[in-house]
Amino acid sequence: SFQEVYKREITYQSELDVPDDMTGTFSLEVFPNPATDYIELPDAMLTKDTQVSIYSSLGTIMYKGNAAGKLDISSLPAGIYFVKVNDKVFKFVKI
């Protein structure tokens, strides 16, 4: 019958294509995590000229600029993001 022929289990696997320059160590040093309005990065990593980039889980750059203590993420849609600071990459969740 039609149902018997098409009754199969489908397995779907998705891989995230992260840009090559985001291969640092993931850590939970971004806080709060999960976050709603802002995130803070470890002070020891920041200077006034420190470049910070926020990437979506699809690798799209959502923010690029200098670090200034708290980073305003209120305009980002809910999802998983990666913050690159110097040679370190941190993962956080925006809710």
Side-chain angles (χ1 to χ4, degrees), residues 83-94:
V83 181
K84 182 178 180 192
V85 182
N86 300 325
D87 62 343
K88 302 281 187 204
V89 176
F90 302 93
K91 177 180 173 181
F92 75 93
V93 176
K94 165 70 164 54

Side-chain angles (χ1 to χ4, degrees), residues 17-84:
D17 186 22
V18 178
D20 291 339
D21 64 347
M22 291 184 58
T23 57
T25 304
F26 290 104
S27 172
L28 294 177
E29 293 182 37
V30 173
F31 56 93
N33 193 3
T36 54
D37 298 321
Y38 70 91
I39 57 170
E40 291 187 54
L41 301 167
D43 289 339
M45 296 184 68
L46 305 177
T47 67
K48 65 178 181 169
D49 298 323
T50 302
Q51 287 288 308
V52 175
S53 301
I54 297 178
Y55 294 84
S56 72
S57 59
L58 298 175
T60 304
I61 295 177
M62 305 300 286
Y63 170 83
K64 190 169 189 170
N66 291 340
K70 291 183 179 183
L71 293 174
D72 182 1
I73 61 163
S74 60
S75 64
L76 296 177
I80 298 172
Y81 294 90
F82 302 94
V83 181
K84 182 178 180 192

Side-chain angles (χ1 to χ4, degrees), residues 6 12 41 65:
Y6 290 99
Y12 178 79
L41 301 167

